[in-house]
Amino acid sequence: MATPDTRTQILDAAERLFAEHGYRGTSVRAITALAGANLAAVGYHFGSKAELMAAVARRVIEPINAAQCAGLDALLARTPDPPVSALVEAFAGPLFDEVPAGDEGGARRARLIVMILSDPAGEARTWTGPAEDFVRERYFAAFARVLPGLSPQELRFRMRGILAVTAVDRLEAHQQPSPGCVSPVAGEAARRWAITFLTAAMSAPPTRT
């Protein structure tokens, strides 16, 4: 097996440390030490710690975004107004696929997603660009068509909730496994529970102000 190149080693180390300690709690020195690289390597390969954070986040998020787009394309090819449950599954399902329970890499990716959603450092969230915005806005438009009573603000809040609930579930599935390994049946059951719960949350009446 080929040894990962320096750039990949830095990405792997940064993903692990950002997930465990957050953006501000992780130093460039700690990243390069874990990667076995010299201190200047982050600047050479990425430019800055913030740009390294962006590269780490995109490496995790891009496969999820691609699957979300493919799922929405398939739904819209059948009907312009898919049911809420189908939209929720297309949006949340890729997190179950890309962040499998009982897998250390999956748990690390889940921790990173939770960090992106909750870390107070702006760099943890301002890395997104047109590609990420495009996926989010496509789903926003699709949900808005089938949930016209929700204000844009409440709809965006509920969509963030889908990501948060799913990421936390994936993380807990690894940290608190049932005796033995998590079986495929249990994993599929968790996915069905999540889709049922999140569909009900998305479909709830608008909150009165």
Side-chain angles (χ1 to χ4, degrees):
M1 181 180 295
T3 302
D5 60 26
T6 300
R7 188 178 190 278
T8 300
Q9 289 175 320
I10 293 172
L11 282 169
D12 291 343
E15 180 180 311
R16 175 178 167 183
L17 293 175
F18 285 145
E20 291 177 355
H21 305 294
Y23 181 81
R24 291 176 182 162
T26 300
S27 67
V28 171
R29 186 177 297 276
I31 293 168
T32 53
L34 183 60
N38 65 61
L39 194 58
V42 167
Y44 176 78
H45 289 283
F46 300 97
S48 68
K49 178 183 169 184
E51 289 170 337
L52 172 58
M53 174 70 227
V56 168
R58 289 196 178 104
R59 189 173 69 158
V60 170
I61 298 299
E62 281 177 353
I64 296 171
N65 283 169
Q68 288 172 327
C69 270
L72 186 56
D73 287 342
L75 286 178
L76 296 180
R78 294 196 294 269
T79 173
D81 298 312
V84 174
S85 59
L87 284 171
V88 168
E89 182 151 16
F91 191 56
L95 280 95
F96 283 88
D97 298 333
E98 297 294 331
V99 187
D103 174 75
E104 173 57 34
R108 188 170 57 249
R109 290 189 289 275
R111 282 195 297 270
L112 186 73
I113 292 169
V114 171
M115 186 277 284
I116 289 170
L117 292 171
S118 62
D119 196 295
E123 292 88 346
R125 293 178 303 284
T126 55
W127 56 269
T128 57
E132 293 77 27
D133 294 342
F134 176 71
V135 177
R136 183 175 61 251
E137 292 308 312
R138 286 192 70 200
Y139 271 93
F140 177 82
F143 276 120
R145 283 196 301 272
V146 297
L147 297 169
L150 292 179
S151 68
Q153 295 83 359
E154 185 164 8
L155 178 54
R156 290 189 190 279
F157 176 87
R158 294 186 185 190
M159 288 176 64
R160 288 196 301 273
I162 291 177
L163 297 176
V165 167
T166 309
V168 169
D169 171 78
R170 297 293 79 201
L171 180 55
E172 290 187 347
H174 178 77
Q175 291 179 329
Q176 301 174 0
S178 55
C181 60
V182 179
S183 70
V185 173
E188 182 57 32
R191 181 180 181 137
R192 293 197 304 272
W193 296 335
I195 299 306
T196 299
F197 170 74
L198 293 168
T199 298
M202 289 297 291
S203 303
T207 303
R208 294 182 179 180
T209 56

